[in-house]
Amino acid sequence: MKVAILGGSGKTGRAVGAALAQAGVATRPLGRAAFDDLPAALAGADAVHVIAPNLHPDEPAYVAAVLAAATEVGIGRVGYHSVASPYVPAMPHHLGKAVSEDLVRRSGLAWTIIQPCAYVQNLLPALRSGTLDVPYSVDTPFGMVDLHDVAAATAVVLTGEAHVGATYELGGPALVSIADVAAAAGVTARRVPAGSDVHPWLQAMFDYYDDHGLPTGGVPLAALLGRRPASVAEVLARDLAADPGA
Ligand SMILES: NC(=O)c1ccc[n+]([C@@H]2O[C@H](COP(=O)([O-])OP(=O)(O)OC[C@H]3O[C@@H](n4cnc5c(N)ncnc54)[C@H](OP(=O)(O)O)[C@@H]3O)[C@@H](O)[C@H]2O)c1
C-alpha cells in the first residue's frame, strides 16, 4: 500500500508519515509544489491523506482540488485531517474544515475523517522558554492530544476498511487547562494580550478558547490505539527536552 500525504512536509504530515512508515506503509509526502499538477503527484497511490496548511485562506478549495485529482487518477480511499469542533461559526478556519468535511463525505470516495484537538506539542516552544504565556484564559478545558497519538491513529484508520465512513473526534485522555499543562511542566501559566499583528482568524480562535476552551473526548482515540492515549505529563516527559528540530 502507498499513501500520498498532502501537507506531508509539515508538522502534522511528517508525524503521519512516520506513523505510516512504522506500520510498514510506503508514503509519498507532498508539499505545495504538488498543486502544480495534482493528478501527476497522486498517480499510483492507493490512498491519499489530506492535511491543509495552517490557516489556509480557502481550505474547501484546497480539499476540493485534492478530491477531484484523486477521483481522476482512480484513488478510492481518502483520509481528511479536520479539527475538533469544526462547526464553530465564530472560528473561520474551523468553519472551513466543516465545509471541507461535507465535500469529503459527498466525494464518492471511501473516506475517513479525523477531528483532533490541539496538540500538546504546540506548547513546547513556550514551555521551553520557562513560562506558558497564552492570549486566552488559562482555566478553560481542552482535550489536548499527543500529535504522535493522532498520527498513529491516522495510520490505523487509513489501513483498515472498518474505518470507511467514520468520523473520529481525537482528544487526549483527560480534559486539561493551560494552567494544568504549565503545572505538569513546573512553570507558570499567564494570560497575556495577543500581539497587535495577530491573524484575525487566530484572534477569533483565542476569543473562543477564552470563553469555551476546546473540550474534546478521548474515547475514540483510545479505541483506535488499543491503549490509553498519552497524557500531557507523558508527552512532556518524552518531548520537552527533545531536540526542537526533530
Ligand atoms: N496544531 C494543532 O494543534 C492542530 C490540531 C488540529 C488540527 N490541526 C490542523 O492540522 C493541519 C496541519 O497543521 P500543521 O501545523 O502540520 O501545518 P503546517 O506545518 O503549516 O503544514 C505545512 C504543509 O502545508 C504545505 N503548504 C503550505 N502552504 C501551502 C499552500 N499554499 N498550498 C499547498 N500546500 C501548502 C507545506 O508544503 P511546503 O513544504 O511545500 O511548504 C507543508 O507540507 C492544519 O489544517 C491545522 O488546522 C492542527
Side-chain angles (χ1 to χ4, degrees), residues 117-120 122-123 142-146 171-174 176 178 181 230 232:
C117 191
Y119 315 144
V120 179
N122 297 345
L123 302 175
F142 293 82
M144 297 216 64
V145 66
D146 178 13
V176 292
I178 290 295
V181 177
V232 167

Side-chain angles (χ1 to χ4, degrees), residues 78-153:
V78 62
Y80 173 51
H81 192 95
S82 181
V83 72
S85 299
Y87 183 71
V88 176
M91 288 196 279
H93 69 299
H94 276 232
L95 205 52
K97 292 185 191 299
V99 172
S100 300
E101 286 193 3
D102 174 58
L103 298 176
V104 170
R105 292 193 184 97
R106 292 190 292 110
S107 65
L109 304 176
W111 54 265
T112 307
I113 294 170
I114 59 163
Q115 301 174 326
C117 191
Y119 315 144
V120 179
Q121 280 83 355
N122 297 345
L123 302 175
L124 293 178
L127 289 170
R128 289 189 183 110
S129 78
T131 56
L132 186 49
D133 293 348
V134 294
Y136 49 88
S137 168
V138 301
D139 297 317
T140 51
F142 293 82
M144 297 216 64
V145 66
D146 178 13
L147 170 59
H148 299 297
D149 278 349
V150 170

Side-chain angles (χ1 to χ4, degrees), residues 165-193:
T167 300
Y168 297 120
E169 176 181 64
L170 300 182
L175 296 182
V176 292
S177 65
I178 290 295
D180 293 331
V181 177
V187 305
T188 304
R190 293 186 311 192
R191 186 189 195 290
V192 297

